[in-house]
Amino acid sequence: MMTREMNLMMAASTAGLLGFYLLFSSVPLYAATGGAGGLGAGAVTGAMMLATVVAELAVPWLLSRLGYRAVLGLGLVLLGLPALALPVSAAVGWVVAVSVLRGAGLGILVVAGTALTAELVPEERRGEGLGLYGVAVGVPSVLGLPVGLWASEALGFGPVFAVAGLVPLAGLAAVPGLPGKRPTAAKRAGGEDGGGGLAGLALLFAAVTTATGVLVTFLPLAGTPELASAALLVQSLATPAARWWAGRHGDRHGSAGLLAPGVLACAAGVALQAWTDGPVAVVAGMALFGAGFGVVQNATLALMFERGGAARVSALWNLAYDAGMGVGAMGFGLVLGLTGYAAGFGLVALLVAATLPLAGPRVRTAAASAPPPR
């Protein structure tokens, strides 16, 4: 399964995402130093994720005309070059403009990388292959989120911006070895599930990623950067490990039964963040959230690939991922003045738990009509 092309694709994706995660939590703090406040910090993340969503809608079209190699290279360039311009100004308008370009690069990279993974691995081991890809792209969050916050405090923003710009550009070295082919034709979804099943799974996943956008953007502001760094590190370790385990389990026993436990773990983890000054609650909650998030990531993606073609499913799944994160960051920033952090985190936990009906019998019935796991 780990062919040369698979390894090169993972290397390119890891480089691009490391540059992204180094700045994910530090750029909102940078904008805050320019007077943006909580609403401005949320706007930076929200604008970036909006650009990501728009780019993701275009990726299937780009792949059909340019192929995987060129599209992945474009994503790396857009993630790297704009980051080098961040030191010019901390004004919120400038930071948002740079973040929009980087968001487009993220959308291109993740859709193309996920779709290519599904095409490179054998169908009977797709869950495990997606899990391994999840581990590879999870490493940047393990390193980037806490290190970006710590280095911004200890070294200043300039060095962090430079590294975050150069690392994705270094990933271009892997691009010539990637396949230049275009995606295979999408298959029709079978059984009684069809496109409605894709939409339901995407909606469930979007609710969970809404919570992710809230936590990654506002956890450093709710407590202390030091506690947030530790909690985000724990979450970043738990997510890829759970994603890989869920892939192996799904290949053998099916993925549908993992959805409800994953959603419940995510909701409970968010609820624990209401104790913003309690290190045990914050760190334990982020560990629980990270594990649930990894399970939901793999289960929803595997189930969606059973129903649609690689490019379409990858675009829809990543669209749910990034739209949810953007809505979470923007929405929480808007209601924060009314709720405060504790009540706000509680509301987000209820939102996640409200998606449990989407993980119920209809999903399992539809999964039973798909090809059995091997």
Side-chain angles (χ1 to χ4, degrees):
M1 184 166 61
M2 296 307 298
T3 61
R4 178 175 180 272
E5 290 179 334
M6 185 77 165
N7 285 320
L8 288 172
M9 185 274 295
M10 286 188 173
S13 297
T14 299
L17 289 171
L18 179 57
F20 170 76
Y21 279 112
L22 279 169
L23 302 188
F24 195 93
S25 291
S26 56
V27 166
L29 287 177
Y30 178 63
T33 67
L39 182 58
V44 168
T45 302
M48 180 174 65
M49 302 319 296
L50 177 61
T52 301
V53 167
V54 173
E56 285 168 346
L57 292 172
V59 173
W61 180 86
L62 288 172
L63 288 172
S64 69
R65 283 151 181 80
L66 303 177
Y68 284 107
R69 184 188 303 130
V71 173
L72 283 163
L74 176 62
L76 290 171
V77 170
L78 288 174
L79 276 168
L81 281 180
L84 300 177
L86 278 168
V88 171
S89 173
V92 66
W94 180 256
V95 177
V96 166
V98 170
S99 298
V100 164
L101 292 175
R102 296 183 64 249
L106 174 68
I108 291 169
L109 185 72
V110 295
V111 172
T114 305
L116 184 55
T117 299
E119 297 216 29
L120 291 177
V121 300
E123 185 175 353
E124 65 271 14
R125 299 185 66 188
R126 181 180 288 157
E128 184 179 1
L130 292 169
L132 288 172
Y133 174 73
V135 171
V137 299
V139 169
S141 66
V142 172
L143 298 175
L145 284 172
V147 170
L149 281 173
W150 171 82
S152 297
E153 294 283 328
L155 306 176
F157 291 106
V160 179
F161 295 159
V163 172
L166 294 174
V167 169
L169 297 178
L172 290 170
V175 169
L178 297 175
K181 67 177 183 177
R182 294 168 174 79
T184 56
K187 62 185 179 181
R188 290 185 178 271
E192 62 184 76
D193 194 42
L198 289 177
L201 289 165
L203 181 60
L204 181 152
F205 186 51
V208 174
T209 60
T210 296
T212 308
V214 170
L215 294 173
V216 173
T217 303
F218 289 99
L219 200 60
L221 304 176
T224 64
E226 294 78 14
L227 177 57
S229 295
L232 289 170
L233 174 61
V234 169
Q235 181 257 313
S236 298
L237 289 169
T239 296
R243 187 171 175 178
W244 172 78
W245 173 84
R248 288 181 58 86
H249 182 279
D251 282 343
R252 291 158 176 76
H253 308 290
S255 299
L258 296 172
L259 288 175
V263 169
L264 287 172
C266 289
V270 177
L272 286 172
Q273 303 313 304
W275 287 270
T276 55
D277 295 326
V280 174
V282 170
V283 173
M286 288 303 287
L288 188 59
F289 178 82
F293 188 35
V295 169
V296 173
Q297 279 183 335
N298 193 284
T300 53
L301 187 56
L303 289 168
M304 290 171 74
F305 273 128
E306 291 176 0
R307 297 157 169 77
R312 176 192 175 207
V313 165
S314 179
L316 181 59
W317 186 85
N318 281 287
L319 184 68
Y321 197 140
D322 298 316
M325 293 187 76
V327 168
M330 286 291 290
F332 199 80
L334 291 172
V335 304
L336 184 59
L338 299 175
T339 64
Y341 286 109
F345 288 139
L347 288 174
V348 175
L350 289 175
L351 171 66
V352 174
T355 65
L356 276 172
L358 297 174
R362 183 172 182 271
V363 170
R364 286 190 286 273
T365 300
S369 68
R374 303 169 202 172

